[in-house]
């Protein structure tokens, strides 16, 4: 009985929100332009595009930010310290996400002011708002992208030489940005790895010289690496390096 009453109360709202016959064909969120002629997709096609974008949105958002660089560097730092169990994946991912929000705040504010607010005021259409937001995120990605990576991806995509890097397609810039982020992450991770690798080598050599073959070097090197990391204020240096490594756009 209670379920029937709830359906009866919700029925007028559903009828009010349901589009009238012939109205569904006029709903237009996406359209394609060919030779100056705009063609709207059908409702079924638009729903398919929206559902696909919702599934890919988290991955695209992470790939268009510095999250990839941060999480790789922090994972390499954890491995260099030997804290696979002491520093869980959720902590590494959380720290990388917080740093990403800190770094991407200016870009998000610009997108909000120049694209989302005008779109909410109906001053811009959806396609125009997406174009404005794309320009903001493209400037950020190009500021972090190496020229060699951009030229390589543009060649693989079949795009010719351009005078302005912003003239490349968005997915070309995105692929070059991801490639550059991977390169930068491994470079920084290598610099973080070297001091702890030296400690491991010294401890292993000392234990071997003392004839203590059965003792794991990790038992001795782990406290030494943690002590060194704390004495030099390693987290402050690491976070400062990560955030200052982002080029302003």
């Amino acid at each position: 009985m209670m379920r029937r009453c709830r359906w009866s109360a919700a029925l007028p709202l559903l009828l009010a929100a349901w589009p009238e016959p012939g109205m569904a064909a006029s709903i237009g969120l996406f359209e394609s332009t060919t030779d100056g002629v705009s063609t709207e997709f059908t409702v079924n096609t638009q729903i398919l595009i929206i559902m696909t974008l919702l599934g890919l949105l988290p991955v695209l958002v992470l790939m268009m930010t510095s999250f990839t660089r941060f999480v790789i560097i922090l994972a390499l730092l954890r491995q260099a310290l030997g804290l696979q169990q002491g520093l869980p994946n959720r902590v590494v991912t959380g720290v990388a996400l917080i740093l990403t929000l800190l770094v991407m705040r200016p870009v998000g504010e610009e997108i909000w002011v120049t694209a989302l607010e005008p779109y909410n005021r109906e001053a811009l259409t959806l396609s125009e708002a997406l174009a404005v937001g794309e320009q903001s995120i493209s400037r950020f990605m190009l500021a972090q992208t190496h020229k060699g990576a951009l030229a390589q991806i543009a060649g693989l995509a079949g795009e010719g030489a351009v005078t302005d890097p912003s003239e490349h397609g968005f997915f070309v810039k995105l692929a070059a940005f991801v490639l550059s982020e991977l390169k930068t992450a491994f470079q920084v991770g290598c610099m973080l790895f070297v001091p702890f690798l030296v400690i491991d080598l010294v401890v292993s050599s000392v234990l071997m010289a003392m004839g203590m073959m059965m003792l794991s070097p990790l038992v001795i090197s782990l406290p030494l690496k943690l002590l060194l990391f704390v004495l030099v204020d390693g987290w402050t240096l690491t976070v400062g390096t990560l955030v200052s490594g982002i080029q302003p756009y």
Side-chain angles (χ1 to χ4, degrees):
M1 185 67 181
M2 183 64 67
R3 183 178 298 177
R4 182 179 300 175
C5 293
R6 290 179 179 176
W7 278 107
S8 300
L11 185 59
L13 298 177
L14 293 176
L15 293 176
W18 193 263
E20 299 179 0
M23 182 180 177
S26 62
I27 298 177
L29 293 178
F30 300 97
E31 61 180 13
S32 62
T33 303
T34 304
D35 296 333
V37 179
S38 298
T39 303
E40 290 188 357
F41 295 109
T42 62
V43 176
N44 294 333
T45 305
Q46 294 182 29
I47 293 176
L48 178 61
I49 294 175
I50 293 174
M51 297 303 294
T52 304
L53 290 178
L54 288 178
L56 297 176
L57 185 60
V59 178
L60 290 177
V61 170
L62 294 180
M63 290 295 102
M64 290 186 293
T65 62
S66 299
F67 178 81
T68 303
R69 177 193 302 192
F70 293 159
V71 74
I72 292 177
I73 292 176
L74 293 176
L76 291 176
L77 176 61
R78 178 182 61 179
Q79 186 175 359
L81 287 171
L83 293 175
Q84 283 79 6
Q85 302 298 328
L87 199 60
N89 290 329
R90 292 184 179 180
V91 175
V92 174
T93 305
V95 174
L97 184 58
I98 292 174
L99 294 178
T100 302
L101 294 176
L102 176 65
V103 169
M104 298 300 298
R105 184 179 61 179
V107 183
E109 291 177 351
E110 180 179 349
I111 294 176
W112 178 269
V113 172
T114 60
L116 292 180
E117 286 187 349
Y119 175 71
N120 291 331
R121 297 195 308 266
E122 298 183 356
L124 294 177
T125 62
L126 179 61
S127 59
E128 293 174 346
L130 290 176
V132 174
E134 178 186 342
Q135 294 176 0
S136 300
I137 195 67
S138 295
R139 286 198 301 270
F140 170 79
M141 291 192 299
L142 288 175
Q144 324 305 322
T145 303
H146 301 291
K147 295 181 179 180
L150 184 60
Q152 179 184 4
I153 298 298
L156 293 175
E159 292 190 359
V162 295
T163 57
D164 189 0
S166 61
E167 297 178 2
H168 287 293
F170 178 76
F171 288 102
V172 171
K173 292 180 285 189
L174 177 59
F177 169 74
V178 173
L179 187 62
S180 300
E181 289 293 285
L182 291 175
K183 179 180 179 180
T184 304
F186 281 109
Q187 289 175 345
V188 177
C190 181
M191 290 188 296
L192 292 175
F193 223 103
V194 171
F196 304 110
L197 180 61
V198 172
I199 294 178
D200 289 332
L201 292 176
V202 171
V203 171
S204 299
S205 300
V206 171
L207 292 178
M208 186 175 297
M210 296 176 62
M212 304 175 66
M213 304 294 184
M214 304 301 295
L215 181 61
S216 175
L218 184 60
V219 177
I220 306 299
S221 63
L222 179 57
L224 294 178
K225 289 189 288 187
L226 291 178
L227 181 61
L228 175 63
F229 194 72
V230 171
L231 289 178
V232 300
D233 200 3
W235 284 117
T236 302
L237 294 177
T238 302
V239 172
T241 302
L242 293 178
V243 175
S244 61
I246 303 299
Q247 299 296 326
Y249 71 108

